[in-house]
């Protein structure tokens, strides 16, 4: 008999301000073989180049995720009916050793991947995406839908440091984890260090949608472009909250004015439905810069939005495997 899917603790039974905070009020499940989707915290910001604080993101996102309910109000997707979803705890990190943290995070997500669980993670700074991609993209390069104010494809910082939150996707392309021709970056903006800063990414084939183009085309046409770019293969989605205008998410390390809104972000994530999503993350929530808690609420809501398109994709894959 198939194991009953874990269910969130209902706010109709225990008030949402009660009990221990977990992602989406789900049970903690440490065995990845019992999960189709693992919700994971990565409390590490050792790749941050300016304002630290994203290491505190997972804890506050967990707290705010208690405000999420069971069913998406637009799509009516009930992710916990489609998939076994649980809070898988936090990836192990070393706050004083960057290289060791990358190894630890990769090993943690490799176990998840080997068990067949799709990861949905809360960072942490954007460098945490690199070891996740090393764990789940080692068999074949993945497509990538990347929401951000920054391309994060710089080569190095500070005279040669290759691993920062401004370099993860350059490393991912170089290591064959991400297919640049199946990659789209949405919301890119802000002043740059040099006029040719994005030449490497564009030369590699990455489709960069600057915020000006986003506002010209609108979210629906941009997401149609995203579907065309990533195609039918496996896709990872990475959502940096600084892609949002800082009026919506001030609690982040590198805010850039002039971004898209939370409503536009929700609309775009919902448009990911139908893609072969194999995982995702929400990163760069830095609670110390937003005492209101609103940025953590944004992070939790975007995680739920991603979950509601990831769960149907994981359900389709599970059914395909059963037929083989």
């Amino acid at each position: 008999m198939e194991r009953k899917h874990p269910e969130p603790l209902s706010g109709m039974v225990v008030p949402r301000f009660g009990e221990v905070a977990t992602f989406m009020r789900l049970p903690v499940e440490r065995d990845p073989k019992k999960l189709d989707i693992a919700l994971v915290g990565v409390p590490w910001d050792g790749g941050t180049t300016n304002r630290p604080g994203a290491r505190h993101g997972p804890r506050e996102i967990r707290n705010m995720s208690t405000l999420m309910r069971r069913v998406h109000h637009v799509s009516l997707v009930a992710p916990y009916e489609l998939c076994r979803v649980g809070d898988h705890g936090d990836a192990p990190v070393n706050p004083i050793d960057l290289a060791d943290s990358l190894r630890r995070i990769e090993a943690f997500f490799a176990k998840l991947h080997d068990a067949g669980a799709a990861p949905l993670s809360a960072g942490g700074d954007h460098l945490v995406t690199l070891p996740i991609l090393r764990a789940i993209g080692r068999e074949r390069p993945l497509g990538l839908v990347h929401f951000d104010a920054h391309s994060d494809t710089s080569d190095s910082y500070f005279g040669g440091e290759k691993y920062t939150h401004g370099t993860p996707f350059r490393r991912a392309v170089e290591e064959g984890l991400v297919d640049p021709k199946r990659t789209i970056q949405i919301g890119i903006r802000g002043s740059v260090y040099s006029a040719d800063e994005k030449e490497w990414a564009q030369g590699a084939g990455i489709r960069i949608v600057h915020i000006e183009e986003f506002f010209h085309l609108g979210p629906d046409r941009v997401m149609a472009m995203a579907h065309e770019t990533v195609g039918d293969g496996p896709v990872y989605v990475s959502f940096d909250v600084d892609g949002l205008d800082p009026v919506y998410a001030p609690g982040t390390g590198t805010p850039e004015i002039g971004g898209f809104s939370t409503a536009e972000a929700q609309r775009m994530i919902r448009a990911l439905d139908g893609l072969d999503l194999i995982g995702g993350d929400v990163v760069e929530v830095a609670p110390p810069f937003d005492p209101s808690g609103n940025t953590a609420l944004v992070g939790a809501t975007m995680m739920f939005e991603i979950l509601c398109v990831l769960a149907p994709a994981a359900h389709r894959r599970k059914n395909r495997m059963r037929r083989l």
Side-chain angles (χ1 to χ4, degrees), residues 62-316:
R62 274 191 177 90
N63 186 34
M64 287 298 180
S65 77
T66 63
L67 293 169
M68 302 301 107
R69 300 179 183 88
R70 293 182 65 258
V71 181
H72 194 282
H73 72 287
V74 176
S75 67
L76 300 183
V77 166
Y80 316 111
E81 294 178 9
L82 294 174
C83 294
R84 300 171 300 167
V85 187
D87 188 329
H88 192 55
D90 284 353
V93 299
N94 182 342
I96 58 174
D97 190 321
L98 184 151
D100 185 46
S101 286
L102 295 182
R103 286 191 294 268
R104 291 178 185 222
I105 296 167
E106 180 184 354
F108 180 89
F109 281 91
K111 289 180 181 178
L112 267 182
H113 182 64
D114 291 343
L120 177 53
S121 309
D125 72 45
H126 221 151
L127 185 56
V128 305
T129 304
L130 178 62
I132 297 172
L133 291 173
R134 285 174 171 170
I136 70 174
R138 59 184 187 265
E139 294 102 348
R140 69 284 187 243
L142 304 175
L144 176 68
V145 180
H146 173 202
F147 300 97
D148 205 325
H150 312 101
S151 176
D152 293 347
T153 52
S154 295
D155 184 43
S156 64
Y157 280 64
F158 310 116
E161 177 53 59
K162 297 283 189 178
Y163 297 100
T164 78
H165 67 166
T167 66
F169 298 111
R170 182 144 177 176
R171 300 288 89 83
V173 170
E174 290 171 344
E175 294 177 22
L177 309 171
V178 165
D179 181 350
K181 293 181 172 57
R182 294 183 58 232
T183 296
I184 186 167
Q185 300 181 321
I186 301 166
I188 309 303
R189 63 188 186 279
S191 56
V192 292
Y193 289 109
S194 64
D196 63 353
E197 190 169 297
K198 301 186 187 80
E199 281 187 3
W200 182 89
Q202 292 170 325
I206 292 174
R207 179 63 168 94
I208 296 179
V209 180
H210 291 92
I211 198 66
E212 293 77 14
E213 183 180 10
F214 169 81
F215 285 127
H216 174 69
L217 295 177
D220 293 341
R221 290 172 66 188
V222 168
M223 295 314 294
M225 185 189 308
H227 275 256
E228 183 180 349
T229 299
V230 302
D232 297 328
V235 180
Y236 188 85
V237 55
S238 188
F239 189 97
D240 186 329
V241 295
D242 71 30
L244 294 156
D245 191 281
V247 300
Y248 303 100
T252 193
T254 314
E256 302 282 358
I257 69 161
F260 47 75
S261 70
T262 47
E264 288 166 328
Q266 289 174 291
R267 188 167 167 179
M268 288 190 286
I269 293 172
R270 293 167 194 170
L272 296 171
D273 185 44
L275 295 177
D276 186 18
L277 298 173
I278 65 163
D281 59 51
V282 176
V283 298
E284 299 285 358
V285 171
F289 294 107
D290 185 4
S292 75
N294 191 63
T295 307
L297 174 59
V298 167
T301 305
M302 297 307 160
M303 276 190 78
F304 183 73
E305 291 281 359
I306 295 172
L307 177 61
C308 288
V309 288
L310 178 60
H315 184 68
R316 289 192 298 270

Side-chain angles (χ1 to χ4, degrees), residues 30-36 84 88 112 114-117:
R30 303 288 185 178
D31 184 353
K33 294 179 180 177
K34 294 180 179 179
L35 295 173
D36 301 311
R84 300 171 300 167
H88 192 55
L112 267 182
D114 291 343

